[in-house]
Amino acid sequence: MDYFEYRDGKLFCEDVPVKAIAKKVGTPFYLYSYATFARHFSVFDGAFSQMPHIVCYSLKANPNGALLKIIAKSSGGADIVSGGELFRALNAGIPADKIVYSGVGKSSEELRYAIESGIRMINIESEGEFKTLKKLSRKMKRKVPVSIRVNPEIDPKTHPYITTGLKKNKFGILWEDAARIYREMSSEEYLAPVGISSHIGSQILELDPFIEAVTSLKKMILELRGYGIGVEMLDIGGGLGITYKDELPPDPKDYAKVVNESLGNIGITLILEPGRVIVGNSGIFITKMLYVKQTAGKTFYIVDGAMNDLVRPSLYNAYHDIIPVEQKKRKTKVVDLVGPICESGDFLAKDRELAGLKEGELVAVKSTGAYGYAMSSNYNSRRRVAEVLVRGDQFFVVRKRETFKDLVRGEKTPSFLEAEIK
Ligand code: LLP
């Protein structure tokens, strides 16, 4: 079931024509489908129903508060990587005991905030972090549930920028060191080694890397039990891929099945941190054609959305399908779809065969729910765009487009300049 479909040649999100939303909120904007998001979450969650588990939605993919409230309402948890994400998760009503915290560089302020909030588990990623946590827990006299994010040294065969489980990556701790830290931890009064975690990468399209990871994590759990350290939680991270073009990602049910089989019945609560698979195809990005620019041998479609709004094509050379909001018979054309930013790297598609488009027309950039708005910036002093959520035949602006005043909020003129200007 696709909730972004043409009806009589007009692109709809659920029961709302995209054009009507654009008319009301202007362009560019991100558009999310409630039904898609809620269904993706429940399918993923349901796939693991055979096992005790918590689905901790990875906020970094898309932290919009309305989406987080849908997660909270569906009894989901959160995977966070910063104090800001912890704030957002709690603010949306996600219970602290369903929040897990990963990340290579947590500051002591952030760790303190997490301890005070009573989150489920802190996944430590270095010896230094272990020491900081040791000090903090003693000082605060609060028992802290900890897991070590181990580096399982697995190649998930995805884009090098989003591979995380290789020896050369900055993430996690190698097993020899982790085993020693676990033993040191068990003699700490205020640290409870309750779990083990890993995350091998993102946009993974095969099950084998997950099978390898879970198999090796199981061995580690059994070894820890041998030392009398009885971890109760296994966090296998996120990473399940989605279809952008013609990829055939595993079905969540098959993913759950291989995890279950590789793990066997070892009496553990599974924690999952999916991001992209929940929200990626729940969102599209709507932008307007400004100009068709013809140069020697090249056609540029210049749109009002840019790399500051959606950086994935520029950063990873990522492919996103691009379709007109109004479907009609058109000749195709090979073009670069580019934004107004002053960089040659500012493109949403390169040398792409697209439907011929005219100035003023609306275009949808698909599969942009994950790492779209979340990675946007104000580069070139462009205002961050609006986000809209559709449910049935209604739409809701879930984040307003920024104003020019928003751009300078927080800036201050130093007094010497104030004086000189007057
Ligand atoms: N857990 C941890 C510890 C992570 O580092 C990540 C993603 C996730 C969970 C969620 O992974 P997912 O299920 O979404 O694959 N900006 C890149 C993706 C970076 C992913 C970073 N970590 C992109 O646009 O493709």
Side-chain angles (χ1 to χ4, degrees), residues 44 56-62 79-81 100-103 123 125 149 158-159 161-164 171 197-204 210 235-242 244 255 272-280 310-313 315-316 318 320 370-372 374-375:
F44 193 92
C56 295
Y57 169 70
S58 191
L59 256 70
K60 65 177 83 63
N62 189 328
D79 154 47
I80 58 158
V81 287
V100 295
Y101 190 177
S102 312
N123 299 342
E125 299 213 23
R149 173 163 170 187
T158 180
H159 192 288
Y161 282 15
I162 52 180
T163 298
T164 48
F171 302 97
S197 62
S198 96
H199 168 79
I200 54 174
S202 197
Q203 182 57 8
I204 299 173
F210 291 112
D235 179 346
I236 60 169
L240 198 60
I242 63 168
Y244 284 101
Y255 171 55
L272 301 130
E273 304 177 348
R276 190 188 317 262
V277 69
I278 308 291
V279 70
L310 175 65
V311 77
R312 300 194 75 254
L315 191 57
Y316 313 115
H320 288 272
Y371 309 107
M375 292 176 82

Side-chain angles (χ1 to χ4, degrees), residues 207-354:
L207 289 174
D208 284 352
F210 291 112
I211 299 176
E212 271 184 64
V214 172
T215 307
S216 103
L217 287 160
K218 180 182 176 179
K219 266 201 218 131
M220 296 172 189
I221 292 170
L222 297 178
E223 194 177 325
L224 287 176
R225 287 186 179 166
Y227 308 139
I229 300 166
V231 293
E232 313 138 24
M233 276 172 290
L234 168 61
D235 179 346
I236 60 169
L240 198 60
I242 63 168
T243 304
Y244 284 101
K245 190 182 183 184
D246 48 15
E247 303 89 336
L248 292 170
D251 189 279
K253 277 203 196 78
D254 297 324
Y255 171 55
K257 188 163 167 261
V258 298
V259 169
N260 199 357
E261 282 168 4
S262 315
L263 207 54
N265 195 2
I266 62 164
I268 211 138
T269 297
L270 199 62
I271 293 183
L272 301 130
E273 304 177 348
R276 190 188 317 262
V277 69
I278 308 291
V279 70
N281 275 318
S282 304
I284 61 178
F285 177 65
I286 304 297
T287 178
K288 191 172 77 184
M289 279 280 289
L290 297 176
Y291 304 107
V292 177
K293 179 170 173 175
Q294 194 74 50
T295 64
K298 198 130 198 165
T299 305
F300 293 97
Y301 281 179
I302 304 172
V303 293
D304 63 358
M307 68 187 284
N308 73 299
D309 306 311
L310 175 65
V311 77
R312 300 194 75 254
S314 310
L315 191 57
Y316 313 115
N317 214 5
Y319 177 98
H320 288 272
D321 231 357
I322 291 171
I323 57 169
V325 166
E326 205 160 319
Q327 190 187 38
K328 50 186 176 200
K329 251 198 147 44
R330 308 166 188 259
K331 277 201 189 129
T332 62
K333 215 172 170 126
V334 175
V335 304
D336 280 10
L337 190 98
V338 302
I341 281 187
C342 305
E343 300 236 10
S344 298
D346 176 27
F347 60 88
L348 299 179
K350 251 201 158 142
D351 294 322
R352 181 86 63 87
E353 186 169 352
L354 287 183

